[in-house]
């Protein structure tokens, strides 16, 4: 059946994990996200981080201002809904969670173990020291989004996700069994199977890069900095398991691109930044992965239904159409005035494109 599909119309997706950055960067990232997604969960690891509801509301206004200044068609602008996230720190209070719930625009709270990824220096150092915050989140139905890696220097970077499951996440779930948790950008079969073993209040997002690539793509024949992200690409057997669960039709797994812009010069240097930029062509990337598995019939639920249902939000009513027509990924986009932004698979061709 998959081989005969030339056009695929699906419910408009949401992106349950995206980095838009801030200020000048928004002129590039916001229009790119808006063209494919209605709701986007906006990561709070800015400089400085989004730690309070007031800061989240101000950040949302900056996003919408950038959208208003863009040349995106008004019907798309009107559907775009940035959903905000608070950055969990050692000083976050239970009262702040109540404020977040009352705001109507804060969707979740993000746990970054200190030092785990880009701009995570303010992350949590004592997980169980946040018990009052987790209890308040349970009470108000605010999900916890987790970057699932330990940061101990003596733990191999390829093992950090599994150790986080054993040392941290299992403890959080045991102590707060009713807390909604999203295991973000999972990268291993360990994480996939862990998620499957939990109750329905634990779900997971999967990125396009972790479905399409493994560490060989990043390392064989020379280091390729635009494949470098955190959590890092893993072995092929982990990639295979992610493909299996993503295309299984299990509602625990849904779209989260983790699209993360970095100026090209910061990626292509001696200590390149972690992050893959995929927002403009995320849907063709996911379609490619699902087609390889003979599972295009499962794509709509993964991209457009399961995430909304997990968050208790209505499924979108608008649609978007993918066509079996080559998309040439641009070599770069203008970014931050005189700089450029290099997307994932820059200069290459994808078999699917979004009908404009």
């Amino acid at each position: 059946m998959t081989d005969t599909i030339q056009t695929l119309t699906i419910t408009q997706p949401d992106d349950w994990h995206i980095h838009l950055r801030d200020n000048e960067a928004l002129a590039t990232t916001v229009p790119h996200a808006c063209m494919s997604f209605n709701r986007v969960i906006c990561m709070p690891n800015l400089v400085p981080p989004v730690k309070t509801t007031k800061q989240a509301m101000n950040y949302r206004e900056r996003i919408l201002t950038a959208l208003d200044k863009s040349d995106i068609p008004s019907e798309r602008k009107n559907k775009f809904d940035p959903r905000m996230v608070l950055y969990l720190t050692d000083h976050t209070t239970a009262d702040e969670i109540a404020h977040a719930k009352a705001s109507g625009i804060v969707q979740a709270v993000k746990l970054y173990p200190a030092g785990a990824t880009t701009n995570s220096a303010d992350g949590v150092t004592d997980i169980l020291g946040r018990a009052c915050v987790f209890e308040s989140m349970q009470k108000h139905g605010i999900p916890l989004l987790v970057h699932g890696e330990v940061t101990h220097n003596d733990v191999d970077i390829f093992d950090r996700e599994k150790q986080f499951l054993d040392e941290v996440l299992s403890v959080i779930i045991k102590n707060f069994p009713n807390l909604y948790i999203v295991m973000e950008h999972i990268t291993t079969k360990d994480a996939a199977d862990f998620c499957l073993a939990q109750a329905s209040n634990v779900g997971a997002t999967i990125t396009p890069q972790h479905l399409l690539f493994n560490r060989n793509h990043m390392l064989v024949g020379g280091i390729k900095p635009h494949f470098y992200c955190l959590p890092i690409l893993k072995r092929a057997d982990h990639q295979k398991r992610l493909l299996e669960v993503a295309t299984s039709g299990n509602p625990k797994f849904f779209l989260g691109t983790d699209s993360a812009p970095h100026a090209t010069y910061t990626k292509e240097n001696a200590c390149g930044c972690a992050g893959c930029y995929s927002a403009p062509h995320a849907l063709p990337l996911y379609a490619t992965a699902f087609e390889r598995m003979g599972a295009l019939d499962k794509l709509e639920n993964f991209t457009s239904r399961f995430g909304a249902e997990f968050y208790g939000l209505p499924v979108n009513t608008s649609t978007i159409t993918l066509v079996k027509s080559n998309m040439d990924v641009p070599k770069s986009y203008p970014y931050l005035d005189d700089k450029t932004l290099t997307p994932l698979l820059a200069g290459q061709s994808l078999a699917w494109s979004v009908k404009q």
Side-chain angles (χ1 to χ4, degrees):
M1 178 183 70
T2 297
D3 291 339
T4 66
I5 294 177
Q6 298 298 313
T7 302
L8 185 64
T9 297
I10 61 174
T11 302
Q12 195 86 36
D14 303 298
D15 190 344
W16 302 104
H17 183 135
I18 194 169
H19 296 267
L20 297 176
R21 306 303 186 212
D22 203 0
N23 300 321
E24 294 87 351
L26 299 176
T28 300
T29 61
V30 173
H32 283 171
C34 180
M35 288 305 296
S36 293
F37 302 108
N38 277 7
R39 288 168 295 218
V40 291
I41 295 280
C42 305
M43 291 298 106
N45 57 332
L46 308 181
V47 181
V50 178
K51 299 179 183 180
T52 68
T53 302
K54 182 178 180 180
Q55 290 170 345
M57 296 174 74
N58 291 338
Y59 180 33
R60 188 172 191 270
E61 284 303 311
R62 296 195 295 276
I63 293 169
L64 293 176
T65 297
L67 181 62
D68 186 58
K69 292 179 179 178
S70 75
D71 59 1
I72 296 295
S74 58
E75 68 174 273
R76 284 300 311 139
K77 288 182 179 179
N78 294 337
K79 289 182 168 61
F80 191 63
D81 182 13
R83 308 302 300 171
M84 310 316 293
V85 179
L86 299 189
Y87 189 117
L88 183 65
T89 74
D90 288 339
H91 307 290
T92 304
T93 66
D95 286 345
E96 191 59 57
I97 301 303
H99 295 324
K101 179 66 175 180
S103 74
I105 59 99
V106 176
Q107 196 70 56
V109 173
K110 181 65 180 273
L111 168 62
Y112 291 105
T117 189
T118 303
N119 300 336
S120 62
D122 290 327
V124 174
T125 60
D126 179 10
I127 300 296
L128 290 184
R130 304 289 80 222
C132 65
V133 176
F134 293 150
E135 289 166 357
S136 183
M137 291 170 65
Q138 281 190 141
K139 174 183 175 182
H140 293 290
I142 297 283
L144 176 70
L145 315 183
V146 297
H147 180 109
E149 293 184 289
V150 297
T151 57
H152 317 316
N153 289 333
D154 59 336
V155 178
D156 189 286
I157 192 170
F158 293 102
D159 297 329
R160 290 182 175 188
E161 184 170 272
K162 183 180 186 308
Q163 192 148 337
F164 180 88
L165 303 175
D166 297 338
E167 290 185 1
V168 181
L169 190 54
S170 58
V171 174
I172 294 174
I173 292 172
K174 179 180 178 181
N175 284 275
F176 309 98
N178 298 318
L179 180 63
Y180 274 77
I181 296 173
V182 180
M183 301 167 59
E184 300 212 282
H185 46 48
I186 62 170
T187 67
T188 60
K189 57 186 177 181
D190 307 279
D193 293 339
F194 181 95
C195 184
L196 286 168
Q198 308 308 313
S200 61
N201 59 311
V202 179
T205 59
I206 307 178
T207 75
Q209 64 264 25
H210 290 104
L211 292 177
L212 289 170
F213 310 115
N214 58 62
R215 64 188 188 182
N216 274 4
H217 294 94
M218 181 177 62
L219 298 173
V220 172
I223 296 173
K224 303 172 188 66
H226 296 288
F227 285 106
Y228 174 52
C229 57
L230 289 173
I232 200 165
L233 296 173
K234 303 300 196 299
R235 297 174 62 96
D237 56 340
H238 293 295
Q239 177 196 5
K240 178 176 181 291
R241 184 61 176 142
L242 295 182
L243 283 163
E244 289 171 352
V245 297
T247 61
S248 68
N250 190 305
K252 280 179 162 287
F253 303 98
F254 42 90
L255 181 154
T257 64
D258 194 19
S259 180
H262 293 280
T264 302
Y265 80 95
T266 66
K267 290 286 289 180
E268 299 175 2
N269 68 19
C271 53
C273 298
C276 299
Y277 190 64
S278 62
H281 56 306
L283 295 183
L285 289 169
Y286 281 115
T288 299
F290 275 65
E291 184 178 41
R292 288 178 183 175
M293 295 293 287
L296 281 174
D297 59 321
K298 301 293 199 305
L299 181 66
E300 182 176 35
N301 282 339
F302 176 85
T303 62
S304 312
R305 183 172 297 276
F306 292 156
E309 291 174 344
F310 183 89
Y311 278 93
L313 296 170
V315 174
N316 295 320
T317 56
S318 55
T319 61
I320 193 169
T321 297
L322 290 157
V323 293
K324 194 68 176 289
S325 174
N326 283 357
M327 174 190 176
D328 294 326
V329 181
K331 291 183 179 179
S332 66
Y333 295 102
Y335 188 61
L336 299 178
D337 296 328
D338 61 343
K339 299 177 177 62
T340 62
L341 170 59
T342 301
L344 185 65
L345 295 186
Q348 299 188 42
S349 182
L350 297 172
W352 289 90
S353 60
V354 174
K355 183 178 180 180
Q356 300 299 330

PDB file of all heavy atoms in Angstrom, residues 5-30:
ATOM      1  N   ILE A   5       1.176   5.263  -2.545  1.00  0.00           N
ATOM      2  CA  ILE A   5       0.735   6.549  -2.015  1.00  0.00           C
ATOM      3  C   ILE A   5       1.553   7.682  -2.623  1.00  0.00           C
ATOM      4  O   ILE A   5       2.778   7.693  -2.551  1.00  0.00           O
ATOM      5  CB  ILE A   5       0.847   6.580  -0.481  1.00  0.00           C
ATOM      6  CG1 ILE A   5      -0.140   5.584   0.145  1.00  0.00           C
ATOM      7  CG2 ILE A   5       0.586   7.981   0.061  1.00  0.00           C
ATOM      8  CD1 ILE A   5      -0.056   5.493   1.647  1.00  0.00           C
ATOM      9  N   GLN A   6       0.854   8.626  -3.251  1.00  0.00           N
ATOM     10  CA  GLN A   6       1.506   9.789  -3.823  1.00  0.00           C
ATOM     11  C   GLN A   6       1.116  11.084  -3.116  1.00  0.00           C
ATOM     12  O   GLN A   6       1.823  12.079  -3.192  1.00  0.00           O
ATOM     13  CB  GLN A   6       1.157   9.894  -5.309  1.00  0.00           C
ATOM     14  CG  GLN A   6       1.623   8.720  -6.149  1.00  0.00           C
ATOM     15  CD  GLN A   6       3.134   8.563  -6.154  1.00  0.00           C
ATOM     16  OE1 GLN A   6       3.867   9.527  -6.342  1.00  0.00           O
ATOM     17  NE2 GLN A   6       3.611   7.339  -5.928  1.00  0.00           N
ATOM     18  N   THR A   7      -0.019  11.065  -2.433  1.00  0.00           N
ATOM     19  CA  THR A   7      -0.505  12.223  -1.692  1.00  0.00           C
ATOM     20  C   THR A   7      -1.037  11.753  -0.358  1.00  0.00           C
ATOM     21  O   THR A   7      -1.747  10.746  -0.288  1.00  0.00           O
ATOM     22  CB  THR A   7      -1.625  12.947  -2.466  1.00  0.00           C
ATOM     23  OG1 THR A   7      -1.126  13.344  -3.743  1.00  0.00           O
ATOM     24  CG2 THR A   7      -2.088  14.187  -1.717  1.00  0.00           C
ATOM     25  N   LEU A   8      -0.689  12.449   0.701  1.00  0.00           N
ATOM     26  CA  LEU A   8      -1.101  12.056   2.041  1.00  0.00           C
ATOM     27  C   LEU A   8      -1.575  13.299   2.786  1.00  0.00           C
ATOM     28  O   LEU A   8      -0.781  14.177   3.119  1.00  0.00           O
ATOM     29  CB  LEU A   8       0.076  11.403   2.772  1.00  0.00           C
ATOM     30  CG  LEU A   8      -0.198  10.807   4.160  1.00  0.00           C
ATOM     31  CD1 LEU A   8      -1.190   9.654   4.056  1.00  0.00           C
ATOM     32  CD2 LEU A   8       1.097  10.320   4.788  1.00  0.00           C
ATOM     33  N   THR A   9      -2.887  13.390   3.026  1.00  0.00           N
ATOM     34  CA  THR A   9      -3.446  14.509   3.781  1.00  0.00           C
ATOM     35  C   THR A   9      -3.715  14.050   5.209  1.00  0.00           C
ATOM     36  O   THR A   9      -4.394  13.048   5.429  1.00  0.00           O
ATOM     37  CB  THR A   9      -4.746  15.010   3.138  1.00  0.00           C
ATOM     38  OG1 THR A   9      -4.442  15.505   1.816  1.00  0.00           O
ATOM     39  CG2 THR A   9      -5.355  16.144   3.945  1.00  0.00           C
ATOM     40  N   ILE A  10      -3.152  14.781   6.167  1.00  0.00           N
ATOM     41  CA  ILE A  10      -3.280  14.415   7.576  1.00  0.00           C
ATOM     42  C   ILE A  10      -3.746  15.622   8.376  1.00  0.00           C
ATOM     43  O   ILE A  10      -3.658  16.763   7.919  1.00  0.00           O
ATOM     44  CB  ILE A  10      -1.940  13.901   8.158  1.00  0.00           C
ATOM     45  CG1 ILE A  10      -0.859  14.999   8.081  1.00  0.00           C
ATOM     46  CG2 ILE A  10      -1.489  12.634   7.453  1.00  0.00           C
ATOM     47  CD1 ILE A  10       0.455  14.617   8.782  1.00  0.00           C
ATOM     48  N   THR A  11      -4.251  15.359   9.552  1.00  0.00           N
ATOM     49  CA  THR A  11      -4.582  16.433  10.492  1.00  0.00           C
ATOM     50  C   THR A  11      -3.323  17.256  10.778  1.00  0.00           C
ATOM     51  O   THR A  11      -2.230  16.712  10.901  1.00  0.00           O
ATOM     52  CB  THR A  11      -5.126  15.834  11.792  1.00  0.00           C
ATOM     53  OG1 THR A  11      -6.279  15.044  11.501  1.00  0.00           O
ATOM     54  CG2 THR A  11      -5.488  16.917  12.792  1.00  0.00           C
ATOM     55  N   GLN A  12      -3.491  18.564  10.867  1.00  0.00           N
ATOM     56  CA  GLN A  12      -2.352  19.454  11.129  1.00  0.00           C
ATOM     57  C   GLN A  12      -1.617  19.007  12.393  1.00  0.00           C
ATOM     58  O   GLN A  12      -2.220  18.831  13.449  1.00  0.00           O
ATOM     59  CB  GLN A  12      -2.829  20.886  11.316  1.00  0.00           C
ATOM     60  CG  GLN A  12      -1.724  21.923  11.229  1.00  0.00           C
ATOM     61  CD  GLN A  12      -1.455  22.343   9.799  1.00  0.00           C
ATOM     62  OE1 GLN A  12      -2.364  22.437   8.993  1.00  0.00           O
ATOM     63  NE2 GLN A  12      -0.186  22.601   9.476  1.00  0.00           N
ATOM     64  N   PRO A  13      -0.317  18.800  12.316  1.00  0.00           N
ATOM     65  CA  PRO A  13       0.439  18.347  13.492  1.00  0.00           C
ATOM     66  C   PRO A  13       0.722  19.469  14.486  1.00  0.00           C
ATOM     67  O   PRO A  13       0.567  20.656  14.194  1.00  0.00           O
ATOM     68  CB  PRO A  13       1.745  17.825  12.897  1.00  0.00           C
ATOM     69  CG  PRO A  13       1.517  17.717  11.430  1.00  0.00           C
ATOM     70  CD  PRO A  13       0.490  18.758  11.102  1.00  0.00           C
ATOM     71  N   ASP A  14       1.162  19.060  15.658  1.00  0.00           N
ATOM     72  CA  ASP A  14       1.747  19.934  16.669  1.00  0.00           C
ATOM     73  C   ASP A  14       3.168  19.446  16.925  1.00  0.00           C
ATOM     74  O   ASP A  14       3.470  18.266  16.741  1.00  0.00           O
ATOM     75  CB  ASP A  14       0.964  19.868  17.984  1.00  0.00           C
ATOM     76  CG  ASP A  14      -0.505  20.210  17.807  1.00  0.00           C
ATOM     77  OD1 ASP A  14      -0.803  21.332  17.396  1.00  0.00           O
ATOM     78  OD2 ASP A  14      -1.358  19.336  18.083  1.00  0.00           O
ATOM     79  N   ASP A  15       4.022  20.340  17.358  1.00  0.00           N
ATOM     80  CA  ASP A  15       5.382  19.955  17.728  1.00  0.00           C
ATOM     81  C   ASP A  15       5.500  20.064  19.240  1.00  0.00           C
ATOM     82  O   ASP A  15       5.506  21.162  19.801  1.00  0.00           O
ATOM     83  CB  ASP A  15       6.412  20.849  17.039  1.00  0.00           C
ATOM     84  CG  ASP A  15       7.838  20.321  17.206  1.00  0.00           C
ATOM     85  OD1 ASP A  15       8.053  19.460  18.081  1.00  0.00           O
ATOM     86  OD2 ASP A  15       8.728  20.778  16.472  1.00  0.00           O
ATOM     87  N   TRP A  16       5.633  18.931  19.887  1.00  0.00           N
ATOM     88  CA  TRP A  16       5.632  18.885  21.353  1.00  0.00           C
ATOM     89  C   TRP A  16       7.019  19.054  21.949  1.00  0.00           C
ATOM     90  O   TRP A  16       7.223  18.779  23.130  1.00  0.00           O
ATOM     91  CB  TRP A  16       4.957  17.597  21.824  1.00  0.00           C
ATOM     92  CG  TRP A  16       3.557  17.514  21.294  1.00  0.00           C
ATOM     93  CD1 TRP A  16       3.101  16.732  20.269  1.00  0.00           C
ATOM     94  CD2 TRP A  16       2.420  18.285  21.721  1.00  0.00           C
ATOM     95  NE1 TRP A  16       1.774  16.969  20.043  1.00  0.00           N
ATOM     96  CE2 TRP A  16       1.329  17.917  20.914  1.00  0.00           C
ATOM     97  CE3 TRP A  16       2.233  19.261  22.711  1.00  0.00           C
ATOM     98  CZ2 TRP A  16       0.053  18.480  21.066  1.00  0.00           C
ATOM     99  CZ3 TRP A  16       0.979  19.823  22.860  1.00  0.00           C
ATOM    100  CH2 TRP A  16      -0.095  19.429  22.047  1.00  0.00           C
ATOM    101  N   HIS A  17       7.968  19.541  21.122  1.00  0.00           N
ATOM    102  CA  HIS A  17       9.305  19.880  21.645  1.00  0.00           C
ATOM    103  C   HIS A  17      10.048  20.650  20.569  1.00  0.00           C
ATOM    104  O   HIS A  17      10.521  20.077  19.587  1.00  0.00           O
ATOM    105  CB  HIS A  17      10.089  18.613  21.998  1.00  0.00           C
ATOM    106  CG  HIS A  17      11.431  18.879  22.609  1.00  0.00           C
ATOM    107  ND1 HIS A  17      11.893  18.208  23.709  1.00  0.00           N
ATOM    108  CD2 HIS A  17      12.421  19.750  22.288  1.00  0.00           C
ATOM    109  CE1 HIS A  17      13.106  18.647  24.032  1.00  0.00           C
ATOM    110  NE2 HIS A  17      13.447  19.588  23.162  1.00  0.00           N
ATOM    111  N   ILE A  18      10.190  21.949  20.754  1.00  0.00           N
ATOM    112  CA  ILE A  18      10.903  22.761  19.769  1.00  0.00           C
ATOM    113  C   ILE A  18      11.672  23.872  20.476  1.00  0.00           C
ATOM    114  O   ILE A  18      11.267  24.356  21.534  1.00  0.00           O
ATOM    115  CB  ILE A  18       9.925  23.357  18.731  1.00  0.00           C
ATOM    116  CG1 ILE A  18      10.676  23.920  17.514  1.00  0.00           C
ATOM    117  CG2 ILE A  18       9.031  24.428  19.360  1.00  0.00           C
ATOM    118  CD1 ILE A  18       9.775  24.277  16.341  1.00  0.00           C
ATOM    119  N   HIS A  19      12.790  24.252  19.880  1.00  0.00           N
ATOM    120  CA  HIS A  19      13.581  25.385  20.355  1.00  0.00           C
ATOM    121  C   HIS A  19      13.437  26.519  19.342  1.00  0.00           C
ATOM    122  O   HIS A  19      13.847  26.375  18.183  1.00  0.00           O
ATOM    123  CB  HIS A  19      15.062  25.009  20.488  1.00  0.00           C
ATOM    124  CG  HIS A  19      15.315  23.949  21.514  1.00  0.00           C
ATOM    125  ND1 HIS A  19      15.633  24.238  22.821  1.00  0.00           N
ATOM    126  CD2 HIS A  19      15.284  22.591  21.413  1.00  0.00           C
ATOM    127  CE1 HIS A  19      15.790  23.102  23.494  1.00  0.00           C
ATOM    128  NE2 HIS A  19      15.583  22.093  22.657  1.00  0.00           N
ATOM    129  N   LEU A  20      12.863  27.622  19.766  1.00  0.00           N
ATOM    130  CA  LEU A  20      12.722  28.788  18.899  1.00  0.00           C
ATOM    131  C   LEU A  20      13.802  29.835  19.158  1.00  0.00           C
ATOM    132  O   LEU A  20      13.981  30.748  18.366  1.00  0.00           O
ATOM    133  CB  LEU A  20      11.334  29.420  19.097  1.00  0.00           C
ATOM    134  CG  LEU A  20      10.137  28.543  18.731  1.00  0.00           C
ATOM    135  CD1 LEU A  20       8.840  29.261  19.069  1.00  0.00           C
ATOM    136  CD2 LEU A  20      10.172  28.146  17.261  1.00  0.00           C
ATOM    137  N   ARG A  21      14.522  29.693  20.280  1.00  0.00           N
ATOM    138  CA  ARG A  21      15.463  30.701  20.739  1.00  0.00           C
ATOM    139  C   ARG A  21      14.717  32.016  21.027  1.00  0.00           C
ATOM    140  O   ARG A  21      13.538  31.997  21.355  1.00  0.00           O
ATOM    141  CB  ARG A  21      16.611  30.887  19.750  1.00  0.00           C
ATOM    142  CG  ARG A  21      17.361  29.620  19.390  1.00  0.00           C
ATOM    143  CD  ARG A  21      17.950  28.891  20.575  1.00  0.00           C
ATOM    144  NE  ARG A  21      18.773  27.766  20.116  1.00  0.00           N
ATOM    145  CZ  ARG A  21      18.920  26.626  20.796  1.00  0.00           C
ATOM    146  NH1 ARG A  21      18.317  26.470  21.956  1.00  0.00           N
ATOM    147  NH2 ARG A  21      19.687  25.672  20.322  1.00  0.00           N
ATOM    148  N   ASP A  22      15.374  33.150  20.854  1.00  0.00           N
ATOM    149  CA  ASP A  22      14.757  34.402  21.311  1.00  0.00           C
ATOM    150  C   ASP A  22      15.231  35.565  20.447  1.00  0.00           C
ATOM    151  O   ASP A  22      16.173  35.440  19.650  1.00  0.00           O
ATOM    152  CB  ASP A  22      15.120  34.633  22.780  1.00  0.00           C
ATOM    153  CG  ASP A  22      14.147  35.547  23.512  1.00  0.00           C
ATOM    154  OD1 ASP A  22      13.178  36.021  22.886  1.00  0.00           O
ATOM    155  OD2 ASP A  22      14.360  35.798  24.711  1.00  0.00           O
ATOM    156  N   ASN A  23      14.546  36.679  20.622  1.00  0.00           N
ATOM    157  CA  ASN A  23      14.933  37.950  20.005  1.00  0.00           C
ATOM    158  C   ASN A  23      15.127  37.807  18.487  1.00  0.00           C
ATOM    159  O   ASN A  23      14.225  37.351  17.806  1.00  0.00           O
ATOM    160  CB  ASN A  23      16.164  38.513  20.719  1.00  0.00           C
ATOM    161  CG  ASN A  23      15.890  38.768  22.192  1.00  0.00           C
ATOM    162  OD1 ASN A  23      14.808  39.225  22.545  1.00  0.00           O
ATOM    163  ND2 ASN A  23      16.846  38.457  23.057  1.00  0.00           N
ATOM    164  N   GLU A  24      16.299  38.160  17.936  1.00  0.00           N
ATOM    165  CA  GLU A  24      16.491  38.161  16.492  1.00  0.00           C
ATOM    166  C   GLU A  24      16.278  36.787  15.864  1.00  0.00           C
ATOM    167  O   GLU A  24      15.845  36.688  14.706  1.00  0.00           O
ATOM    168  CB  GLU A  24      17.894  38.670  16.139  1.00  0.00           C
ATOM    169  CG  GLU A  24      18.148  40.133  16.477  1.00  0.00           C
ATOM    170  CD  GLU A  24      18.635  40.313  17.902  1.00  0.00           C
ATOM    171  OE1 GLU A  24      18.610  39.323  18.672  1.00  0.00           O
ATOM    172  OE2 GLU A  24      19.029  41.433  18.252  1.00  0.00           O
ATOM    173  N   ALA A  25      16.570  35.720  16.597  1.00  0.00           N
ATOM    174  CA  ALA A  25      16.410  34.372  16.046  1.00  0.00           C
ATOM    175  C   ALA A  25      14.965  34.069  15.682  1.00  0.00           C
ATOM    176  O   ALA A  25      14.694  33.273  14.767  1.00  0.00           O
ATOM    177  CB  ALA A  25      16.919  33.338  17.053  1.00  0.00           C
ATOM    178  N   LEU A  26      14.026  34.698  16.369  1.00  0.00           N
ATOM    179  CA  LEU A  26      12.607  34.397  16.160  1.00  0.00           C
ATOM    180  C   LEU A  26      12.141  34.752  14.753  1.00  0.00           C
ATOM    181  O   LEU A  26      11.190  34.151  14.250  1.00  0.00           O
ATOM    182  CB  LEU A  26      11.759  35.130  17.199  1.00  0.00           C
ATOM    183  CG  LEU A  26      12.028  34.766  18.662  1.00  0.00           C
ATOM    184  CD1 LEU A  26      11.185  35.646  19.586  1.00  0.00           C
ATOM    185  CD2 LEU A  26      11.750  33.295  18.929  1.00  0.00           C
ATOM    186  N   ALA A  27      12.794  35.682  14.113  1.00  0.00           N
ATOM    187  CA  ALA A  27      12.408  36.051  12.750  1.00  0.00           C
ATOM    188  C   ALA A  27      12.581  34.893  11.780  1.00  0.00           C
ATOM    189  O   ALA A  27      11.888  34.822  10.753  1.00  0.00           O
ATOM    190  CB  ALA A  27      13.235  37.252  12.284  1.00  0.00           C
ATOM    191  N   THR A  28      13.494  33.980  12.089  1.00  0.00           N
ATOM    192  CA  THR A  28      13.702  32.783  11.268  1.00  0.00           C
ATOM    193  C   THR A  28      12.908  31.594  11.789  1.00  0.00           C
ATOM    194  O   THR A  28      12.187  30.923  11.042  1.00  0.00           O
ATOM    195  CB  THR A  28      15.199  32.409  11.235  1.00  0.00           C
ATOM    196  OG1 THR A  28      15.943  33.488  10.679  1.00  0.00           O
ATOM    197  CG2 THR A  28      15.438  31.152  10.424  1.00  0.00           C
ATOM    198  N   THR A  29      13.013  31.325  13.077  1.00  0.00           N
ATOM    199  CA  THR A  29      12.471  30.071  13.616  1.00  0.00           C
ATOM    200  C   THR A  29      10.954  30.047  13.703  1.00  0.00           C
ATOM    201  O   THR A  29      10.340  28.993  13.482  1.00  0.00           O
ATOM    202  CB  THR A  29      13.057  29.800  15.008  1.00  0.00           C
ATOM    203  OG1 THR A  29      12.699  30.875  15.901  1.00  0.00           O
ATOM    204  CG2 THR A  29      14.577  29.685  14.952  1.00  0.00           C
ATOM    205  N   VAL A  30      10.339  31.167  14.026  1.00  0.00           N
ATOM    206  CA  VAL A  30       8.884  31.169  14.204  1.00  0.00           C
ATOM    207  C   VAL A  30       8.144  30.921  12.889  1.00  0.00           C
ATOM    208  O   VAL A  30       7.258  30.054  12.826  1.00  0.00           O
ATOM    209  CB  VAL A  30       8.419  32.458  14.904  1.00  0.00           C
ATOM    210  CG1 VAL A  30       6.900  32.542  14.924  1.00  0.00           C
ATOM    211  CG2 VAL A  30       8.971  32.515  16.326  1.00  0.00           C
TER     212      VAL A  30
END
